[in-house]
Structure formats: structure tokens, C-alpha cells
Amino acid sequence: MLSSVLIANRGEIAVRIIRTARRMGLRTIAVYSDADAHAMHVRLADEAYPIGPAPARESYLVIDRIIEAARRSGAEAIHPGYGFLSERAEFADACAEAGIVFIGPPANAIRAMGLKDGAKSLMQRAGVPVVPGYHGANQDPKFLKEKAYEIGYPVLIKAVAGGGGKGMKKVEKLVDFDEALASAQREAASSFGDPRVLIEKYVQAPRHIEIQVFGDAQGNVVHLFERDCSLQRRHQKVIEEAPAPAMPPAMREAMGRAAVEAAKAVGYVGAGTVEFIADGSNGLQADKFYFMEMNTRLQVEHPVTEAITGQDLVEWQIRVAAGERLPLLQDELAIHGHAVEARLYAEDPERGFLPSTGRLHTLEFGDGEGVRVDTGVEAGAEVSPFYDPMIAKVIAFGETRDEALDRLGAVLGRTVVAGPRTNLAFLKALTEAPGFRSGAFDTGFIDRNLAALGAVPRAADPATVRLAALKLVDGAWAARQGRDQARSNEAASPWSATDGFQLAAARRVSVPLVVDGERATVELVSPAPGTGRTGSIQAVFGGGTSDYHDDYLPVANDPAFTLTRDGLFVVRDGRQTEVRRFDPFDVDLDHLDGGGAVKAPMHGKVIAVLVEPGQAVAKGDRIAVIEAMKMEHTLVSPADGTVTAIAVTAGEQVAEGAPVATIEARTEQAA
Ligand code: ADP
């Protein structure tokens, strides 16, 4: 058995690997970038080594730094996790050269599966079904267009070197082909440094079903059944489950066999996943699935497989890397129950899933029967702009699919994240969505149901705002009722204003607030003496009234409050509302004169500044482009006007809310 392992990764997967390695008695060694010096994975490991600055390409992606840390610590093996260096054959080679065990497949298996076109040809030769398409060397646009015609529309153009859904374009009809091809090639070149594409038939009602495989150095290969990852947004997985709903046993059998064939064809050792796309237009059928690609690493969603097989896949990886035989062979493996995993992300579904960063003021997961939470952060930590903004994976197991989904929904409902905006409420809505519950879904389900899932701009819930106002005033009001009012040093605060005071009638104070960045005014009313309600306060806002003392919680689910220096977060049913006292000195010109400040919507890097001081702009004109978490966001002018100041330069990092430019609105001349 191995005696020590270095984990060349961070976040939840590093923590997850450390846990199993520990339990098996291995010494665990973490590496960390400057941004992760206080991260959970660093604290949990027996030892930790710094490997460079925050950007991954200067730390987690630098092979030499990782090997150097392994040498210094005397690590016997390296586990790459997923992402980062996990599928880089040069990394496996470098480990071998340094005499370190790479916990992953042989470098040549990674190479064979690395490019989609080569992998497809290889699979075709091994008798594994592949999507009809062209994956040859000829990249002449005219030729590719002919191929698309032969394959038959709709087709999908994919980057040969692709990953993460980048460089993928669905083309519905011939006239759109040229433009889609050019755009796919551009994206492929910029994302992967390789403009080559392949063309595939677009599978109807596509279901993404993948098979977990495992091989050992003795030549045994097994599969651990399927995972259904059809709930996707922009070709990225959101919720995964095992087994696949309505999977015919004959199809499971056929897919499992094809996946084992695929693994054997490349001499696979260790954990791998063979991804298939199934045509679900007439339900799942044993002859309607096609190979897409093989991922030569542990997948993000491996816990659902662990839940239904009762196995620890990281333990399997470590044993196989140590030269042991697979812990179980095919006829010793069986499915029990159902498991679902949700990826909790720091992103805002109500604003186009814009990534969100910042301090996690509160992070609490409700626990419950059959629930597992894999995370690498805790309250007080920052969601930084440098890495994937996943906060946690929440996994629920049940005897049946309904039980697993009920448990997942319940635990998501009890989870509280205050600070960055998250997809918590969106995930919870997914667990309850009728189409998903009934099993009638495909990879387009989320896109077709964005509004029903709450992933559209929505105003803050008025009852939540009233509650927040009452909560904010609580301390100040109590102080004012008491004798220490005179000593309050908050004389300028609206909370201690005495302007609305009336002896015999109701007392009314207007409280200016900022709700999710927008100005709002809540009326606070103290009923007149003699009404029997003296001492209580009511908040009036958005067409309703909430009473502090009588019905403090006028809502179904208990909201969670997190107080911060200048306001509070209310989280109810996974949805976060931020309520701050309005600070008149924090002037947001946006809402005063229609012009004003253009601010960075999140922490990121300025890619381009598209205007100059003095330049006239129209409302909606592009001002600057900011890149955050691998996505580009264009900032536009809020009004017609003139650029009076630019606060950033291209290449600069900016914080969330930082001013980017000032636009002076053009004032209308009286006619
Ligand atoms: P990437 O490597 O960029 O993640 P994949 O080839 O794994 O790309 O495909 C990602 C997703 O795109 C799949 O999960 C599926 O939803 C969709 N997809 C891929 N190929 C097809 C196809 N031929 N027809 C329909 N959808 C597809």
C-alpha cells in the first residue's frame, strides 16, 4: 500500500480525497496558491506546500512546482483530482520521471482519449457506437458543409480539443452553417489553441448518460453502472443522478459492455467515465446511444455512484494505483437505491447566472438522513474570482428516486448561504419541477423552463423586505424605548430619527433602504396609544403590512438572517435578499439622473475599455468588457450621455462594485 499522497488540487475534491487517504492511513500532503493559504484543504492535510500566486496557470497548473512540492515532502503518489492537471499526459509522464505514482490512467490512455476526433475513430474501431458524423482531418469549410448536409440537419459543430461545452454550435439549417462554423472555429482557437472541429448529427431529445468504469493493472475492467447528467445549462451539468430514470436493463447492459470495451481498447487503469448521448425521443432504447468522449479521471459527480454501489471510488483509485486488484469484480457489483447530486454554485440565476464572488457570511447546510455534503469552504471564506465558483456538492440518497429528490429538496431548503448570490433556490425548484420529477426531461429541460424555475429577473419579495426592515430597526428601536436613548451615538441614523413623533396618533417614519442594490422606502408605523398595540411596530411596504410582535414570521419557511456591518441578508427558501440602510454618502448616480457610474458587476479582469473620456455614448453602448471565471461580460452605458471619467485600464483586476466609468447623462433641453 502507498504511504503518502500529494493532492494536486484544491477545494472540495482535495478535501474529499484527503478524507479517504487519511482513513486508509496515508500521510496527506496539500499544495496551495497564495489565495488558498487558509483554505480548508490546507488545514485538513498533514502537510501543505505553497506553489505560487493565485492564478491557476501560475500555481495549480505548473507541473514543475507540483513535482517540486512532491519531492520536498517525499510524497510517494500524486492524486490530480479533476480539472487542472488531471487529464494532462505530460503530467503523468513527469510523475513517472520523478519516480512518483500518478493516481490515474497511463499517459498513453490519456493521450488516446484526449482529442475527440481520435477517441471517436478509436471507439468506432472497437465496435462502440458513435454519433453519425465527420471527425476527419479535412477542415475545408466547403467540404465540412457538404459533410453536414450528408449527415443531415440539425448538426452539432464541436471543437476537436473541446471541453466544458466551449466551441460547440448547434446548426438547425444549411443557411446558418457558414456563420456557425466560423464562430465555432474562433471559439476553439481562442479557448484551446486549436481551431479544428468535427461535425455530428444532433441527437434528438438528448439524454446525457455516462458509465463509470474502473480498470486495474492486472487487466480487469468493470463498470459501476450509469449516471444521468441530462440536467444541463449551456452543456454544463447542474444535477446528476444514478441510476438513470427509466433505463431499460438491456440498455444498461449494452452501455456497460460498450464502456468496458472502450476502456479495454486503450489499456485503461484506474477510474474513468465513458460519456454517451442517448436519443430519448421515444424513451431510452438499447440501440439508441452513442459514444461522446471518455474522461480519464474521477468525475465531479462520482458521489452518486458511490451512494448506489456502497463503494469509495477514491479508495479504489488508491488501491489500483498501488498495484492491487480491483476491490470487486463485475458480478459482485449491484445497484441499491437512488442518489441525486446538486452543484451549488456562487452565481445568480436571476441575472443570467452571472458568477458572484465575495465573503461567505453564512454557510450552513441542513443535514438529514441520506445526505452528504462535499465542500471545500466554510463561513468566513471568500469565493474568489480565480477558480471555479462551486461552493459545494449536495448529495441525497433514497430507496427510491422520489425519496432521494425529496431529501435533496429538503436539505437545499434548509441550506443558508449569505454573501455571494447562489443557485440554491434554482436547484430547489429543479428538485420539484414536474417534468424532471416525472422523468420526462432531456438536456434542453432547463433552457425551456427558466421562468418556471425562477431563473429570470424577479423583484425582491415584499414580505421579506418588511421583515428585514423590522429586524434592522429592532436593536435601534429597543434602545430608543429604553432610558439609554439619550446616550445613543447614532444621532444621524434614520433609526434614531424622532421626526415622526406624535403623542396621541400613530407614529410614522420613512426608512430609506437599499434592497438588492435598488433604492426602496419602508414605512415603519407605531400604532397610536390606546389601540392596544402600543410598543409594536409595523412595516408597510410593497402593498402589505407586517407586524413585528404579532406575526413576526408571516411566511411559510423560517427565514435566516445574517447581520453585517451595514445591513443584513435574509435567506428564505434558498433565495437571498440583501437589505442595507441607505447611505446618502454612497451616492449611486445611476438612480439619480439616469446617468452615473458604470460599476464592475463582479470581481474580474478588465479585458477591454471601449470608450474614451469625452466620448458621446447612447444608452446600451458598450463601455468595457470584464472577464470573470472564464466568461466575458460586457458593461453598457446606463444612459445617453458623455463619458466623463474612466477609472480602469485593460489588463487590470477590479473588485465587485468598483467604478469603471462615469457617464454624465445628457439633460433634455426644454422644447
Ligand atoms: P464538452 O467536452 O465540451 O463538455 P461533450 O462532447 O461532452 O462536450 O458534450 C457536452 C454536452 O453537449 C453533452 O452532455 C450533451 O448535452 C451535448 N451534446 C454533445 N453531443 C451532442 C449531440 N451529438 N447531440 C445532442 N447533444 C449533444
Side-chain angles (χ1 to χ4, degrees), residues 96 116 187 224 321 363 411 435 473 493 507 511 530 562 569 609 611 651:
K116 288 188 204 282
E187 237 176 275
L224 290 95
L363 180 60
V411 68
V473 82
S493 149
R507 186 174 188 282
V511 180
T562 299
F569 292 96
V609 178
V611 293

Side-chain angles (χ1 to χ4, degrees), residues 53-301:
R57 62 179 181 285
E58 296 171 43
S59 49
Y60 295 105
L61 286 171
V62 184
I63 293 177
D64 292 347
R65 296 237 170 105
I66 308 268
I67 298 287
E68 169 60 21
R71 280 222 177 89
R72 273 171 55 200
S73 61
E76 203 182 338
I78 293 184
H79 194 308
Y82 55 70
F84 292 142
L85 296 170
S86 61
E87 294 186 280
R88 292 264 294 273
E90 317 89 87
F91 186 50
D93 285 337
C95 289
E97 255 163 58
I100 298 163
V101 176
F102 176 70
I103 303 185
N108 52 10
I110 302 179
R111 281 199 183 92
M113 289 299 178
L115 292 176
K116 288 188 204 282
D117 56 346
K120 288 221 161 92
S121 309
L122 188 73
M123 288 305 107
Q124 221 162 8
R125 286 201 297 277
V128 176
V130 305
V131 190
Y134 175 75
H135 29 90
N138 191 341
Q139 295 287 309
D140 174 45
K142 258 186 72 186
F143 175 82
L144 290 174
K145 195 173 180 173
E146 274 164 31
K147 284 290 163 198
Y149 183 77
E150 282 168 26
I151 294 162
Y153 287 90
V155 299
L156 197 63
I157 307 178
K158 285 187 185 180
V160 163
K166 277 209 182 120
M168 249 169 61
K169 300 278 167 213
K170 179 181 174 188
V171 195
E172 301 280 357
K173 44 191 193 309
L174 186 73
V175 291
D176 300 329
F177 185 84
D178 297 326
E179 204 184 314
L181 175 67
S183 141
Q185 287 171 327
R186 259 198 320 273
E187 237 176 275
S190 78
S191 301
F192 313 109
D194 180 348
R196 288 178 300 150
V197 297
L198 57 86
I199 297 180
E200 269 179 13
K201 175 99 191 143
Y202 183 81
V203 174
Q204 296 299 327
R207 287 269 293 272
H208 174 118
I209 301 182
E210 57 185 37
I211 304 280
Q212 175 72 55
V213 293
F214 238 103
D216 64 24
Q218 289 75 30
N220 299 300
V221 181
V222 299
H223 70 85
L224 290 95
F225 315 105
E226 80 278 7
R227 290 185 287 259
D228 191 326
C229 313
S230 301
L231 276 196
Q232 306 185 342
R233 201 186 73 84
R234 298 217 175 130
H235 307 300
Q236 301 208 40
K237 299 163 187 170
V238 177
I239 285 189
E240 305 100 343
E241 61 184 307
M247 176 83 151
M251 183 172 183
R252 175 171 298 131
E253 172 82 31
M255 280 183 118
R257 208 172 332 108
V260 167
E261 245 3 273
K264 282 188 171 155
V266 291
Y268 206 79
V269 179
T273 295
V274 184
E275 294 191 331
F276 295 97
I277 188 103
D279 181 335
S281 46
N282 284 309
L284 295 177
Q285 290 167 35
D287 59 349
K288 287 256 175 73
F289 68 87
Y290 312 96
F291 171 85
M292 271 197 302
E293 64 175 353
M294 179 166 185
N295 291 323
T296 54
R297 54 169 161 79
L298 194 67
Q299 301 268 99
V300 175
E301 59 274 19

Side-chain angles (χ1 to χ4, degrees), residues 395-548:
I395 304 110
F397 173 83
E399 290 297 326
T400 62
R401 181 170 190 258
D402 275 336
E403 187 176 49
L405 284 169
D406 285 346
R407 285 177 172 175
L408 181 63
V411 68
L412 292 172
R414 287 192 299 271
T415 296
V416 179
V417 189
R421 306 192 76 83
T422 73
N423 64 347
L424 195 52
F426 173 72
L427 291 174
K428 180 153 191 294
L430 272 172
T431 66
E432 292 156 7
F436 177 51
R437 282 305 277 243
S438 71
F441 63 100
D442 58 53
T443 60
F445 182 85
I446 289 180
D447 274 344
R448 288 194 299 271
N449 291 284
L450 284 175
L453 296 165
V456 284
R458 287 189 287 162
D461 168 43
T464 301
V465 176
R466 293 194 294 268
L467 220 50
L470 290 169
K471 189 84 181 169
L472 272 179
V473 82
D474 190 13
W477 185 270
R480 195 149 12 117
Q481 302 279 42
R483 261 167 279 118
D484 54 356
Q485 182 193 353
R487 272 176 278 134
S488 165
N489 55 7
E490 272 194 80
S493 149
W495 312 109
S496 32
T498 49
D499 44 77
F501 187 75
Q502 288 170 35
L503 248 187
R507 186 174 188 282
R508 229 180 159 86
V509 185
S510 289
V511 180
L513 298 173
V514 180
V515 177
D516 287 337
E518 301 283 334
R519 286 288 305 275
T521 302
V522 174
E523 299 283 330
L524 293 179
V525 183
S526 168
T531 56
R533 300 169 69 99
T534 322
S536 74
I537 311 174
Q538 293 173 320
V540 183
F541 176 75
T545 302
S546 297
D547 192 304
Y548 184 87

